[in-house]
Amino acid sequence: MGSLCCRQSSFNDANAEENARALEIERRITQETKAEQHIHKLLLLGAGESGKSTIFKQIKLLFQTGFDETELRSYTPVIYANVYQAIKVLYDGSKELAQNESNSSIYAVSLDKKEIGEKVSEIGSRLEYPNLTKETAKEIEALWNDAAIQVHVRYFAYLS
């Protein structure tokens, strides 16, 4: 019987340890719950490419500190790609309109801008885009200012 009493005291010691652990866990849960009371969670559901990441980025920009330097730099290649692709669409569209429309002279890019247009159109067809240098930016600006490109821009704006 004496051995039974010893076992009971070891069981009580084990229960005391378990109770201490349980109390510590409860204390941590309470502490974490208090710390997370100011956090609002939002579940964004939707198909791929439906804008979930865009909404998250907008929320971050509006309600937090904005983007850090690393995030800003990560967008540089995306901006370059957008510039090259957009000017390619405008130039190629102007070429197509110049070939297919009856009043094609207003859609034809001027001769001095055709070389720039062909160069930029070729770059816009690539999978990877070079950095946008000052020289290339000036060429793209010159092509953008061409009357045929501006007619094409107004044409697209009219269709929208």
Side-chain angles (χ1 to χ4, degrees):
M1 219 167 157
S3 65
L4 182 62
C5 289
C6 292
R7 285 188 182 172
Q8 282 182 344
S9 74
S10 67
F11 283 136
N12 288 337
D13 291 342
N15 285 341
E17 287 178 24
E18 286 178 17
N19 288 340
R21 276 194 217 133
L23 286 173
E24 176 63 21
I25 291 171
E26 287 294 326
R27 187 187 64 75
R28 284 185 184 174
I29 289 173
T30 305
Q31 187 179 18
E32 289 176 11
T33 303
K34 285 181 184 177
E36 292 185 1
Q37 281 181 342
H38 71 283
I39 295 174
H40 299 289
K41 295 183 180 183
L42 177 65
L43 176 63
L44 297 175
L45 300 174
E49 301 297 320
S50 65
K52 298 180 299 289
S53 295
T54 302
I55 289 173
F56 176 74
K57 289 174 189 173
Q58 289 296 318
I59 290 170
K60 183 177 180 181
L61 183 63
L62 293 172
F63 298 108
Q64 291 183 337
T65 59
F67 300 113
D68 62 23
E69 190 67 28
T70 306
E71 287 174 310
L72 291 174
R73 291 197 187 283
S74 73
Y75 291 117
T76 303
V78 175
I79 293 168
Y80 291 164
N82 287 341
V83 169
Y84 284 119
Q85 290 171 1
I87 199 68
K88 175 192 178 359
V89 166
L90 291 171
Y91 177 72
D92 292 350
S94 290
K95 276 181 19 180
E96 188 175 330
L97 283 174
Q99 292 171 355
N100 297 332
E101 294 293 321
S102 58
N103 190 7
S104 64
S105 61
I106 64 169
Y107 300 114
V109 174
S110 61
L111 293 174
D112 58 327
K113 307 291 187 321
K114 278 191 177 190
E115 185 179 332
I116 295 170
E118 291 298 324
K119 174 183 166 187
V120 172
S121 180
E122 186 272 323
I123 292 172
S125 299
R126 298 179 188 170
L127 295 176
E128 291 186 24
Y129 304 96
N131 287 344
L132 194 59
T133 63
K134 286 184 181 184
E135 179 184 320
T136 308
K138 286 181 182 179
E139 291 176 340
I140 290 172
E141 182 180 16
L143 183 60
W144 170 262
N145 290 325
D146 189 87
I149 297 294
Q150 289 302 306
V151 167
H152 197 64
V153 168
R154 286 190 293 280
Y155 178 78
F156 268 126
Y158 174 74
L159 292 177
S160 301

